[in-house]
Amino acid sequence: MPEHEPPARPRCARCARPASHCLCAYITVVPNRTRILILQHPDEQKHPLNTARLAVLGLQRAELLVGEHFPQLSGIIAAAGSASLLFPAKNGAQLQPLAAIPQGMPALLIVPDGTWRKARKIVYANPVLGALPHISLPAGEPSRYRVRKARESAAVSTIEAVVRTLSILEPEHDFEPVLKPFEVLVEQQIRAMGAELYRRHYPA
């Protein structure tokens, strides 16, 4: 007799987490003047630690597109009037306060989401991104993403990168609440893993 796969666990339609681990109660929508557009690699969409989705849910002006090639980008960038790419550049362009952008002009920050290799693939697959000013985050505190290893010691999750960037661009706003569901997500993963296994794989 053919084996039947166990039924999938019910998931929250909003945060996409299992219903038993729904994060919606921890999501607070924070206003932001800089529009955020996250370009998510398809492999990240179903990842259990999908922080890009949490970033979009926690910001008033944010959108998530999934794919590798985005033919609509030229139109989106043209309509924005002013756009930048959050991605390391050889010249190490640093963040400037949003006040430097003429008042009334829409500002758009595009953020590739995926591993470094997949994020670079998105940038190369969409030449219009390469023509944008690149913004690099200055060195900061270590990532709070305690359940994911990264080759780069300064690497942070997508939600952390967005929050750190907005905190520099819009210092008058407090974006810390956006990170709350992310912190709960990390704690959920640590509990599910067990303290001993966590210490073995993620030593302090």
Side-chain angles (χ1 to χ4, degrees):
M1 294 180 64
E3 293 185 4
H4 295 282
E5 294 184 2
R9 289 188 295 175
R11 289 186 171 272
C12 172
R14 185 182 180 213
C15 71
R17 290 287 292 164
S20 58
H21 293 78
C22 176
L23 297 170
C24 291
Y26 305 99
I27 296 173
T28 301
V29 180
V30 177
N32 57 303
R33 290 187 290 135
T34 311
R35 181 183 164 203
I36 301 296
L37 174 61
I38 298 179
L39 305 179
Q40 185 177 71
H41 191 277
D43 290 350
E44 294 291 313
Q45 187 177 19
K46 294 184 179 181
H47 196 285
L49 305 179
N50 187 345
T51 74
R53 187 180 185 89
L54 294 178
V56 170
L57 290 174
L59 292 168
Q60 195 172 70
R61 303 186 68 216
E63 182 181 0
L64 177 70
L65 298 178
V66 180
E68 291 186 15
H69 177 61
F70 302 91
Q72 68 272 49
L73 272 180
S74 295
I76 293 174
I77 291 170
S82 173
S84 296
L85 179 71
L86 184 59
F87 195 75
K90 289 183 179 180
N91 60 3
Q94 293 297 307
L95 290 169
Q96 296 295 326
L98 191 61
I101 298 174
Q103 189 173 7
M105 181 180 290
L108 173 67
L109 182 67
I110 299 177
V111 185
D113 174 57
T115 62
W116 282 115
R117 182 178 63 83
K118 292 170 184 175
R120 280 195 296 267
K121 191 172 183 180
I122 289 175
V123 174
Y124 294 148
N126 300 274
V128 67
L129 295 177
L132 295 177
H134 285 44
I135 291 177
S136 299
L137 271 174
E141 297 179 358
S143 173
R144 304 183 199 179
Y145 209 174
R146 295 174 290 147
V147 289
R148 204 172 195 185
K149 295 179 180 178
R151 292 183 179 179
E152 301 288 337
S153 58
V156 296
S157 65
T158 296
I159 193 171
E160 289 174 296
V162 169
V163 166
R164 291 187 186 189
T165 303
L166 287 175
S167 296
I168 296 172
L169 293 176
E170 304 177 29
E172 73 278 13
H173 291 152
D174 178 15
F175 293 101
E176 192 66 21
V178 178
L179 292 173
K180 180 60 178 178
F182 164 67
E183 292 173 342
V184 174
L185 169 64
V186 171
E187 290 297 333
Q188 288 178 348
Q189 292 299 117
I190 292 174
R191 286 198 299 269
M193 190 181 302
E196 183 178 346
L197 186 61
Y198 172 71
R199 284 194 298 269
R200 189 185 314 155
H201 288 276
Y202 302 93

